[in-house]
Structures are given as structure tokens and as C-alpha cells.
Amino acid sequence: MARRLIVVGEREHDFVDLDERNTVSIGRSPENDVVIQDDMASRRHAVVERDASGDLRVRDLKSFNGTYLNERRVRDEPYQLWDAIRIGRTKLFLVERNETPAAESPAAGAAGAEEPTSGGPPSIEEEGSKTRTLDPSGADAIASKEMRAFMDGALRRERESIEREISQRIRDESGPSVLGALAGYRIRVQRDGPLDGGGDFYDVFRDSLLPNDLFFAAGSVSGVGVAACVAATVARHSLRGYLATRNESPERSLHPCSEVLASTLHPGSALSLLQARLDARGTLDVAALGGCGVLHYKAATGQIVRVRAPGRRDEEAARVQAASFDIREGDRVLLLSDGAGAMRREDGEPFGVERLESALVGKLELPGKDLLEHLRGVYSDFVGGTWERDVTILLIAPGDNLA
């Protein structure tokens, strides 16, 4: 099988055919077969070599920054078709040679073949059996349309991977570093969602002007990826700033607060929002609009009260719905983002509040961590492990039994 090593870097894009080669050395030194102009590469960084059975392997040469195979740091591993080696900011893909034919030679062009749009075939300076350097002019030196298409695809996937990493980091770091606390109550939060991040946000905090109260906020803005994660972060901080400057009930503050948030978001962004305020006596005042929801489990009766269904899409969803109730010993309160009810499978069926309530039956006496893990598993099974939107759950319980 004819194989080719495609090199995609910031300053070079080229290939090396592996037909007659048993080893290909990679590094920053010009003595290597593949010279990487990357300051994160060691002078002798890694080698691709054939083993006794003729299969390819990648071996790290005790480099400082490491060699990564499909984003996993390796020392000596098999190297198979479509695997990607990463050294610093440079990637090397192993492909079949007929998937990426070389550029036509000038002679072929003179015979009537299509002229390259720019540059000529890759400039690979030979010295014995070694390729001394890669052409720094990169893409301009590669005339093959197939090669260009492959590199465009590789770079696009690289950008998408970077964007996912940024989204995940923003999402993971956008929540409060420390949850607010109130004596006699335990709070847990769990957030799950797609790999590229979604638009959920939450907060649990105290206000110095109201030291006996604990404030909760949860919500979501439409979209996924970096834009949604940034919008969610803006929404959370705007929300905290708004609530910290006003001594109003959630019912009175929610609608004007939603208008403030809407003015900070991109036009057309859908907004779901929930605010709650818990005092030391155990009274919870809560208000919600959009798809946010509230469920209250009453331990005394074993009843789950649907204060507001999550994932609402009806005409009433845009209206503020408020409630006030006492949390007693053994009770559980779930404050839920839009995705808790609106999560959908591939066939379009929504998760729905009825399925959520069924999943809670017989589980509400579990410790908080176990209860939330149970719900995570239920949602994951429903979507087959592929989350298409965020699900954020804030769990409130009195006493010290929310381990």
C-alpha cells in the first residue's frame, strides 16, 4: 500500500512519500527528513519507522514538549491510516498516496494537463535518501487540487478542534468559582452538554446587604460554540450585577432583568431565565420565563410538584411565572435549565417533564451526588451519549444530607 505523510504546519504544508523509506526522522534540525519550523519541536523530536512486520510506528525521541498521536501523548505507538501526529503546532497525517496525488510535473502540463494555478510541485531538496527541508512557501508550492482540498480539510478540522477547546474552557470556567452557602441547606450543581459548549449559565451567591438570603440564577441563551459560551458568560455577570444592586423579589425583578440581558445579547438570541431567593426560614421565592423549570419534591407526601415545567415552548413561555413555598426537612428542589425538558433525540422526540418526573421516582432519597449522577445517566441514555444541548440542574435540600 502506497502511503504518504502530509505535513500541515503554520509555515509549511508539504508531503513525504513513504514507499521506499524505513524511517523518517522529524524535528527542527535541518538534518531531519522532515524539518519542522516550530519552536516547540526539539532538534531531533520523533521518528516514523517500519517494524519487523512492515507496519508503521511513531517513536518519540525524548523530546521536551512531547509527541502526540490523535491528541494523546505517546512514546512508541502504531501509526495507522488517518492518524494524526502533533508536534507543537504542526500535524502530520498518514494517508494513502492515491488519496492525495502529487502535483503534475511541468512536462505533464506541457502535454495538455491542467496548469497549476500557482507555484509548481513541492520543492523537496534531496541529499542521498533524505529530504533536507520542506518548502517554506507552503500552499503556493502545491499544485494538486486534491492535495489542497485535503489540507483545507485538515486545517478546518484543526480550527474546529481549537474552537471546541476554547468553548469547553469558557463553559467550564464561566460558572462561579465558589457556590454561595446558607446555614442549614446544601446546594449542588451539575451541568452537562455538547462538546463545543452551549449557552447555559448559573450562579449561587450571597448579597452583603441581605446576609440571611441566598440567591440563585439559571438560564440559557440560544446557540452552541464559542459565541454561545461568551454570551452565557456575559449573561451571568450581567445578572449578578443587576441582582446585587436591587432588593426586589424574583417576581418583580425577573422581567426588567430579562430586558437588561436581552440588550447585551446578539439580536434574535432566545433567552430563558430563572431567579430564586431562599431565606433562613426556608421560604423559596422563585420566578422563571422561557424554558427554565422548577420541581419541588415534598418528602411528607412523596409528591413531586411541578412548579414550572422545563423546556416550555408554548405561548405562555415568554411570561413570568412566580411561586413561593417552604422547603421542609427531606424535601428536594430542582432548578432546571431549558435543556432539562427540551433535550431531543435524533428522531426529534423531546425528553419532556413527564420523563424527568418518572426518572426521579424512587431516587429522591439518594444523596445529592448520586441523584445528579443518576439523572446524568438518564439523559445520556436518552440521547445515545450525544448531547445536543446543555442541561443544568441546581439541587437544593435542607439539612446536611446532600452529600
Side-chain angles (χ1 to χ4, degrees):
M1 179 186 299
R3 296 181 182 180
R4 172 169 288 167
L5 199 61
I6 304 293
V7 183
V8 181
E10 290 186 322
R11 288 176 287 179
E12 65 273 340
H13 309 299
D14 223 315
F15 65 85
V16 177
D17 288 333
L18 304 180
D19 297 1
E20 306 299 328
R21 295 175 180 269
N22 290 320
T23 64
V24 175
S25 60
I26 308 165
R28 202 176 67 250
S29 168
E31 300 302 318
N32 288 290
D33 298 321
V34 176
V35 179
I36 297 180
Q37 300 178 39
D38 189 322
D39 55 11
M40 295 183 70
S42 298
R43 291 182 61 81
R44 297 182 67 254
H45 197 105
V47 62
V48 173
E49 56 192 0
R50 296 185 190 275
D51 61 19
S53 62
D55 295 326
L56 293 175
R57 303 184 67 86
V58 57
R59 180 164 55 90
D60 182 74
L61 299 178
K62 299 181 180 180
S63 63
F64 183 79
N65 288 312
T67 299
Y68 292 80
L69 182 65
N70 301 326
E71 295 307 319
R72 180 172 59 88
R73 189 164 183 168
V74 297
R75 292 184 178 178
D76 187 346
E77 293 285 335
Y79 188 31
Q80 300 175 339
L81 283 173
W82 298 106
D83 280 350
I85 297 171
R86 180 172 64 80
I87 295 175
R89 293 173 291 272
T90 301
K91 285 197 171 183
L92 300 93
F93 299 87
L94 182 64
V95 302
E96 290 187 46
R97 193 173 65 187
N98 57 3
E99 296 289 337
T100 55
E104 300 292 346
S105 68
E114 182 180 349
E115 290 264 347
T117 55
S118 64
S123 173
I124 304 177
E125 179 186 343
E126 298 288 342
E127 179 178 322
S129 62
K130 287 189 174 183
T131 304
R132 291 294 306 274
T133 186
L134 297 177
D135 183 2
S137 61
D140 288 338
I142 301 174
S144 166
K145 290 183 177 180
E146 292 86 352
M147 181 72 75
R148 288 179 184 273
F150 175 84
M151 290 184 176
D152 287 345
L155 292 172
R156 182 180 64 256
R157 290 190 293 271
E158 176 74 6
R159 287 194 298 269
E160 290 172 352
S161 175
I162 292 172
E163 287 182 2
R164 281 195 297 270
E165 291 176 6
I166 293 172
S167 297
Q168 290 172 5
R169 183 165 183 177
I170 294 173
R171 183 183 66 180
D172 294 343
E173 297 182 2
S174 63
S177 56
V178 178
L179 293 181
L182 187 63
Y185 295 89
R186 292 293 179 268
I187 314 298
R188 275 194 175 273
V189 179
Q190 180 168 282
R191 179 170 57 179
D192 296 291
L195 292 177
D196 52 355
D200 274 19
F201 57 92
Y202 70 91
D203 210 342
V204 183
F205 63 94
R206 301 280 291 276
D207 186 337
S208 60
L209 298 178
L210 298 165
N212 296 320
D213 292 353
L214 185 62
F215 291 87
F216 301 84
S220 64
V221 296
S222 55
V224 295
V226 174
C229 290
V230 170
T233 303
V234 170
R236 182 180 81 84
H237 288 285
S238 299
L239 181 61
R240 176 177 280 219
Y242 182 90
L243 295 178
T245 59
R246 298 170 182 266
N247 182 15
E248 295 179 336
S249 68
E251 182 177 9
R252 289 179 58 86
S253 67
L254 186 63
H255 193 272
C257 184
S258 68
E259 293 180 342
V260 170
L261 292 181
S263 68
T264 69
L265 300 175
H266 190 277
S269 295
L271 176 68
S272 294
L273 187 59
L274 178 150
Q275 294 177 13
R277 179 173 168 179
L278 176 65
D279 64 28
R281 298 170 299 176
T283 300
L284 184 73
D285 293 320
V286 61
L289 59 78
C292 288
V294 183
L295 298 182
H296 178 203
Y297 167 68
K298 294 184 176 182
T301 63
Q303 178 188 14
I304 298 175
V305 178
R306 190 185 301 177
V307 180
R308 181 184 175 91
R312 293 182 64 165
R313 292 290 188 270
D314 55 19
E315 293 181 359
E316 296 295 317
R319 298 183 182 179
V320 174
Q321 182 178 351
S324 180
F325 53 87
D326 294 332
I327 305 176
R328 304 300 185 188
E329 184 65 30
D331 285 5
R332 298 284 190 270
V333 176
L334 301 176
L335 307 180
L336 305 152
S337 71
D338 174 77
M343 176 73 74
R344 293 181 181 273
R345 293 193 302 215
E346 286 187 1
D347 61 7
E349 181 181 352
F351 188 81
V353 66
E354 293 82 5
R355 187 177 275 107
L356 173 58
E357 290 171 344
S358 296
L360 291 170
V361 172
K363 303 295 183 180
L364 286 159
E365 300 299 330
L366 290 172
K369 180 180 179 181
D370 295 339
L371 174 59
L372 292 178
E373 282 294 336
H374 165 68
L375 290 178
R376 171 181 284 154
V378 171
Y379 280 110
S380 183
D381 289 345
F382 177 75
V383 297
T386 303
W387 300 73
E388 51 92 20
R389 64 178 64 202
D390 283 347
V391 175
T392 301
I393 304 173
L394 286 77
L395 177 59
I396 308 171
D400 300 323
N401 58 351
L402 195 61

